């Protein structure tokens, strides 16, 4: 072993690493560009979620006097409600250019909306044209759902047509779902003597319903668009928002417009009954 003084001198090799500031800056730029790209693609959905979060956070401060401007370009405006809206001052609602209202009556084969009767009576007294809707559960029998609806809705001549709300994603077989829908529509049409209105959102309708129920009037839900993507001759009512405010309701409510004028709304009404029809 050599003495320490005679050992050869080995130069110290220093490894160079990028300065932290440079790679941090690069990562920040990449994140920023990725965030901007994500926002550009999903900005409507993000704005929607932010509005909903804000509305939920500040819901305790709502007074029931909040007001969302009505959609321009249409003369007949309406809402749809359920027990979710709580107690409604229908007189105030009517004073804010709401001409029609569809009220949830039933869902599936057993559920009756807890506020249906009160909402129907209140809307009628306020001079608002009313209809009722059934929320369709695709894994349950269409006949039983139709029978529950007609026993509960108690619609009269002069009311707006019954509505079948089809949007539930939880189903086992699309052909079975369509058969159930067809059964409900047929039986309810026979009972009231008027074709029911079919309600669905744009994506669900395009994927599962388009081309199968075209003889029935369509009420289309399509949000965050200037106009529905679906051609105008395909729909009669457009639900353009599900987060609007109207005096008389404490919280958000769905806003709708009718394609046409007030006479078109009157033409939709249930006609006088000729005979007492049964669902069979």
């Amino acid at each position: 072993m050599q003495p320490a003084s005679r050992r050869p001198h080995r130069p110290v090799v220093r490894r160079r690493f990028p300065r932290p500031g440079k790679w941090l800056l690069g990562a920040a730029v990449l994140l920023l560009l990725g965030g901007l790209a994500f926002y550009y693609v999903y900005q409507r959905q993000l704005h929607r979620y932010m509005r909903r979060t804000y509305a939920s956070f500040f819901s305790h401060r709502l007074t029931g006097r909040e007001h969302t401007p009505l959609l321009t370009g249409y003369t007949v405006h309406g809402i749809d409600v359920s027990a979710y809206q709580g107690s409604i001052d229908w007189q105030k609602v009517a004073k804010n250019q709401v001409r029609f209202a569809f009220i949830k009556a039933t869902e599936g084969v057993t559920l009756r909306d807890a506020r249906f009767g009160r909402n129907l009576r209140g809307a009628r007294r306020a001079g608002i044209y009313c209809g009722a809707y059934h929320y369709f559960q695709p894994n349950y029998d269409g006949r039983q759902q139709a029978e529950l609806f007609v026993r509960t809705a108690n619609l009269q001549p002069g009311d707006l047509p019954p509505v079948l709300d089809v949007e539930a994603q939880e189903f086992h077989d699309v052909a079975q779902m369509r058969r159930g829908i067809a059964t409900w529509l047929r039986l309810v049409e026979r009972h009231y003597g008027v074709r029911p209105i079919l309600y669905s959102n744009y994506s669900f309708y395009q994927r599962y319903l388009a081309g199968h129920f075209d003889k029935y009037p369509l009420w289309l839900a399509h949000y965050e668009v200037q106009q529905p993507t679906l051609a105008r001759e395909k729909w009669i009512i457009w639900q353009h928002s599900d987060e609007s405010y109207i005096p008389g309701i404490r919280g958000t409510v769905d806003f709708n417009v009718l394609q046409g004028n007030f006479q078109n709304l009157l033409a939709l009404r249930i006609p006088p009954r000729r005979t007492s029809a049964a669902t069979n």
Side-chain angles (χ1 to χ4, degrees), residues 61-74:
R61 300 184 183 179
L62 296 175
T63 64
R65 296 188 296 273
E66 293 77 15
H67 183 255
T68 299
L70 299 175
L71 191 67
T72 58
Y74 296 87

Side-chain angles (χ1 to χ4, degrees), residues 123-137:
R124 282 172 172 166
R125 285 195 298 266
I128 296 173
Y129 288 90
C130 300
Y133 73 90
H134 174 84
Y135 188 90
F136 188 76
Q137 292 287 2

Side-chain angles (χ1 to χ4, degrees), residues 5 13 42-43 107 112 153 158 173 197 212 230 236 250-252:
S5 59
V13 178
Y42 297 104
Q43 57 182 303
E107 177 178 335
R112 293 178 171 88
D173 181 84
I197 296 172
H212 295 275
L230 207 62
I236 63 167
R250 189 173 182 270
T252 57

Side-chain angles (χ1 to χ4, degrees), residues 3-280:
S5 59
R6 294 183 181 180
R7 290 178 187 171
H9 177 72
R10 294 180 182 178
V12 178
V13 178
R14 296 182 178 178
R15 297 181 180 179
R16 294 185 176 181
F17 294 95
R19 294 181 179 179
K22 289 185 177 180
W23 65 264
L24 283 175
L25 179 61
V29 170
L30 289 176
L31 286 173
L32 177 62
L33 292 175
L36 290 173
F38 183 85
Y39 175 77
Y40 179 78
V41 175
Y42 297 104
Q43 57 182 303
R44 288 179 175 173
Q45 294 92 327
L46 290 171
H47 291 171
R48 179 178 171 83
Y49 293 146
M50 286 188 289
R51 289 194 302 269
R52 283 183 165 269
T53 301
Y54 177 87
S56 298
F57 187 75
F58 290 99
S59 60
H60 64 284
R61 300 184 183 179
L62 296 175
T63 64
R65 296 188 296 273
E66 293 77 15
H67 183 255
T68 299
L70 299 175
L71 191 67
T72 58
Y74 296 87
T75 59
V76 184
H77 303 268
I79 61 175
D80 55 278
V81 300
S82 68
Y84 174 80
Q85 273 71 38
S87 180
I88 298 175
D89 187 332
W90 285 101
Q91 296 295 332
K92 287 184 179 178
V93 170
K95 290 178 182 177
N96 286 272
Q97 301 182 56
V98 170
R99 307 303 300 271
F100 66 90
F102 286 98
I103 302 165
K104 183 176 181 180
T106 51
E107 177 178 335
V109 296
T110 59
L111 192 150
R112 293 178 171 88
D113 189 271
R115 290 187 174 270
F116 172 69
R118 280 172 286 184
N119 281 331
L120 186 65
R121 291 189 296 271
R124 282 172 172 166
R125 285 195 298 266
I128 296 173
Y129 288 90
C130 300
Y133 73 90
H134 174 84
Y135 188 90
F136 188 76
Q137 292 287 2
N139 293 324
Y140 291 93
D141 182 73
R143 175 182 291 273
Q144 292 181 34
Q145 296 193 61
E147 290 172 348
L148 174 67
F149 177 81
V150 298
R151 286 198 308 267
T152 306
N154 193 31
L155 295 176
Q156 302 297 322
D159 287 331
L160 296 178
V163 173
L164 183 61
D165 179 347
V166 183
E167 56 183 312
Q169 299 281 349
E170 300 79 16
F171 56 86
H172 307 309
D173 181 84
V174 66
Q176 177 185 340
M177 177 184 70
R178 289 174 183 148
R179 287 194 295 270
I181 293 170
T183 297
W184 194 99
L185 293 170
R186 174 174 55 83
L187 295 177
V188 174
E189 179 178 359
R190 181 182 300 174
H191 180 83
Y192 286 110
V194 65
R195 282 184 178 171
I197 296 172
L198 181 64
Y199 167 98
S200 191
N201 63 70
Y202 175 76
S203 59
F204 191 97
Y205 175 81
Q206 287 290 80
R207 188 170 184 179
Y208 300 115
L209 305 179
H212 295 275
F213 304 99
D214 290 350
K215 71 176 184 178
Y216 293 95
L218 177 63
W219 174 7
L220 184 68
H222 201 182
Y223 313 136
E224 306 292 344
V225 292
Q226 294 297 319
Q227 286 288 335
T229 304
L230 207 62
R232 289 180 65 89
E233 61 269 18
K234 295 286 187 179
W235 55 271
I236 63 167
I237 300 174
W238 172 26
Q239 186 182 91
H240 57 88
S241 173
D242 64 344
E243 51 182 358
S244 296
Y245 296 93
I246 194 78
I249 298 177
R250 189 173 182 270
T252 57
V253 68
D254 300 338
F255 261 17
N256 306 272
V257 290
L258 176 77
Q259 190 171 179
N261 56 29
F262 185 63
Q263 293 304 314
N264 296 117
L265 179 69
L266 297 181
L268 292 175
R269 294 176 297 172
I270 297 173
R273 291 181 182 176
R274 298 177 183 175
T275 59
S276 178
T279 54
N280 51 41

